[in-house]
Amino acid sequence: MIATKSVTGSFAGIIHGLTTSNLTQELIQRSKRMILDTLGVGLIGTTTEVFHKALQYSKIYSTDISSTVWGHPDLRLPPLYASFVNGVAVHSMDFDDTWHPATHPSGAILPSLIALSETLPSHHKKSGLDFLLAFNVGIEVQGRLMRFSNEASNIPRRFHPPAVVGTMGSAAASSKFLGLDQVQCREALAIAASYSGAPMANAGTQTKPLHIESYNWLLEKQDVAIKRFPAHLGMHWVADAACEVRKHIAGDNEPLVIDNIQKIVLRIPEAKYVSRPLPSSEHEARHSFQFNACTALLDGLVSVQSFSDQNISRPELQKMLSKIEVLHPSDNQPNFEKLYCEVSVTLTNGATFTERCNTFYGHWRKPLSNEDLIRKFRSNALTVLSEDGVDGIVEMVNKLEDLSDFSELCSFLRQRGQAISKQERSS
């Protein structure tokens, strides 16, 4: 079946026609990794200031139907606002997955679907496969829209993609999950387009490749990158290169002698919003090649704790930042498929050590192992949930395609850790 001329009509036809039989094993496995990772970064994201600001705003609304605020067993919100605050949590630390062309696909989809799953009547519960299909429909629509854009091949300079394609993807996923017919789905996408400001008219001629028979999912061709620490994706290249350089100038358990360093040269792509010589806040540090390179050199790694105010303001880190020189080689483009980062450290004795990272660990060309993905999830989720809650989510996601009622997962999202609850009661 060939898509119709309008973009919303074309997508509505495809969304309506896809069934769980179109899901492949590779697609299911990649989706489950994305879901587990997104739940983890969302749970640790509920500890951030921006999440609590969004939560305070959303508490003023109430309806007869409500959904879970992740990690908060005694707090429920209308589905729209539960989806909103959980979505804010997912992206609050810039710890969520990243795709190519550049966007954060899962954070726009997962909170909405989980919120909706709790609102369905008992006779209309959705299975894990139903959930996986809706999730992948939302991911697919985002990917197709990004590929329509002339700007999307490189890191976008004029807009943040999730605000546009994420809105459309969420509408598509929700339409599929709720079982809307083709006309209702088209109308939902049109409303989403009006909210996102998506330039849909120019994409009309690009929809011919969309067919249902033997459907080829973009996620099968292009996996996502999963971050090891909460910062802009580009920071992972420079951190890995800097960690390799450190091995030449300091032992595994030895402190770095900063006075032995004469200069640090970074060869990075030119992208102004992630080149911040002297970051003074957590947000700026997450978007600073210079900060992440110096942190990796100083500590041997970059972690969640690296972005605390205490670590950002360290005198030794500030001293290292003053030694940095930045170069932008003409062959180093701000493109997540092509960019590289090279770190050179020249010592006071004249010796220079250089390492280059073409593909960091966690990139789709070098994906995290399942063991490391679960380790990341557990580390994030245990900041909020109990051991039983964390173990339950891992088990549920692992067998997601076999669940008869997806909403069972939500009960584990409410199992707050006892230590956290006691701390909150005493504060």
Side-chain angles (χ1 to χ4, degrees):
M1 186 178 84
I2 298 179
T4 56
K5 290 184 179 180
S6 73
V7 175
T8 52
S10 169
F11 276 129
I14 298 300
I15 292 165
H16 184 69
L18 288 169
T19 69
T20 56
S21 64
N22 293 107
L23 297 174
T24 66
Q25 276 305 307
E26 182 176 19
L27 193 70
I28 288 171
Q29 294 309 313
R30 286 185 174 180
S31 303
K32 292 196 298 185
R33 284 168 58 89
M34 294 163 70
I35 289 167
L36 186 67
D37 184 58
T38 304
L39 289 171
V41 299
L43 286 163
I44 193 173
T46 63
T47 65
T48 61
E49 181 182 2
V50 66
F51 166 80
H52 286 287
K53 286 182 177 179
L55 184 61
Q56 286 303 116
Y57 162 78
S58 300
K59 281 181 178 179
I60 66 176
Y61 299 97
S62 63
T63 59
D64 293 336
I65 301 173
S66 63
S67 301
T68 298
V69 177
W70 300 354
H72 289 72
D74 300 323
L75 180 59
R76 298 177 67 86
L77 291 174
L80 174 64
Y81 290 97
S83 174
F84 168 62
V85 298
N86 292 330
V88 167
V90 168
H91 192 57
S92 62
M93 298 171 69
D94 210 343
F95 211 177
D96 45 334
D97 57 22
T98 304
W99 212 10
H100 180 77
T103 193
H104 302 285
S106 299
I109 307 299
L110 191 62
S112 297
L113 291 181
I114 289 178
L116 282 176
S117 74
E118 296 183 88
T119 68
L120 299 175
S122 57
H123 64 277
H124 195 58
K125 293 297 184 182
K126 297 290 186 177
S127 70
L129 273 178
D130 293 328
F131 188 91
L132 283 164
L133 177 61
F135 179 82
N136 276 286
V137 162
I139 300 297
E140 183 75 5
V141 166
Q142 292 180 78
R144 295 283 177 180
L145 289 172
M146 289 299 291
R147 281 158 177 77
F148 294 163
S149 169
N150 292 328
E151 288 192 14
S153 58
N154 290 341
I155 299 172
R157 298 183 178 186
R158 295 193 295 175
F159 68 98
H160 193 223
V164 179
V165 301
T167 306
M168 298 294 292
S170 180
S174 299
S175 297
K176 188 64 181 176
F177 195 61
L178 293 173
L180 303 189
D181 63 33
Q182 194 165 335
V183 173
Q184 292 171 321
C185 182
R186 185 185 67 213
E187 291 174 349
L189 290 172
I191 293 169
S194 69
Y195 274 102
S196 65
M200 300 297 293
N202 294 331
T205 60
Q206 304 264 3
T207 58
K208 284 182 66 178
L210 301 180
H211 306 271
I212 292 178
E213 293 83 0
S214 302
Y215 193 81
N216 295 314
W217 299 87
L218 290 176
L219 185 58
E220 283 191 297
K221 301 176 183 177
Q222 174 71 66
D223 200 358
V224 298
I226 293 179
K227 300 176 180 180
R228 305 193 317 275
F229 56 88
H232 183 274
L233 196 69
M235 307 306 105
H236 290 67
W237 274 274
V238 80
D240 277 14
C243 285
E244 290 302 308
V245 171
R246 191 184 194 279
K247 294 176 182 178
H248 297 293
I249 58 180
D252 289 342
N253 298 312
E254 297 176 3
L256 186 70
V257 182
I258 300 171
D259 289 338
N260 288 347
I261 297 176
Q262 180 179 329
K263 69 175 179 177
I264 304 165
V265 178
L266 307 183
R267 293 176 178 86
I268 57 178
E270 186 171 11
K272 291 183 179 179
Y273 80 101
V274 284
S275 181
R276 301 171 188 260
L278 296 170
S280 59
S281 69
E282 175 186 338
H283 176 76
E284 290 181 355
R286 297 188 198 280
H287 295 77
S288 168
F289 278 116
Q290 296 90 330
F291 173 86
N292 285 273
C294 287
T295 298
L297 285 169
L298 191 60
D299 301 329
L301 81 166
V302 183
S303 68
V304 171
Q305 291 73 31
S306 299
F307 302 94
S308 67
D309 290 341
Q310 181 179 359
N311 279 327
I312 292 171
S313 61
R314 286 181 289 174
E316 57 269 38
L317 183 65
Q318 298 300 314
K319 189 173 184 179
M320 287 186 69
L321 286 168
S322 69
K323 299 175 184 283
I324 281 193
E325 176 184 347
V326 172
L327 300 177
H328 301 299
S330 59
D331 67 334
N332 198 356
Q333 299 300 309
N335 180 304
F336 291 150
E337 276 284 18
K338 302 174 182 178
L339 76 81
Y340 64 87
C341 289
E342 191 173 280
V343 177
S344 295
V345 174
T346 300
L347 303 181
T348 53
N349 65 7
T352 297
F353 299 95
T354 301
E355 292 287 350
R356 170 170 163 160
C357 178
N358 294 315
T359 304
F360 67 87
Y361 181 47
H363 191 275
W364 45 84
R365 292 193 298 266
K366 195 176 181 180
L368 288 185
S369 67
N370 285 333
E371 292 77 15
D372 283 342
L373 176 64
I374 292 173
R375 191 175 293 113
K376 174 190 173 182
F377 169 77
R378 289 184 59 83
S379 175
N380 287 336
L382 282 170
T383 61
V384 175
L385 297 185
S386 66
E387 285 274 2
D388 287 345
V390 171
D391 291 341
I393 291 173
V394 172
E395 182 180 354
M396 282 282 190
V397 173
N398 185 52
K399 62 179 184 181
L400 190 54
E401 65 269 41
D402 299 322
L403 292 182
S404 59
D405 179 5
F406 172 81
S407 65
E408 293 174 15
L409 178 69
C410 300
S411 63
F412 293 104
L413 289 168
R414 295 190 289 269
Q415 293 189 21
R416 197 161 181 82
Q418 291 184 357
I420 302 294
S421 300
K422 288 179 181 177
Q423 182 180 354
E424 289 174 339
R425 285 195 296 268
S426 63
S427 61

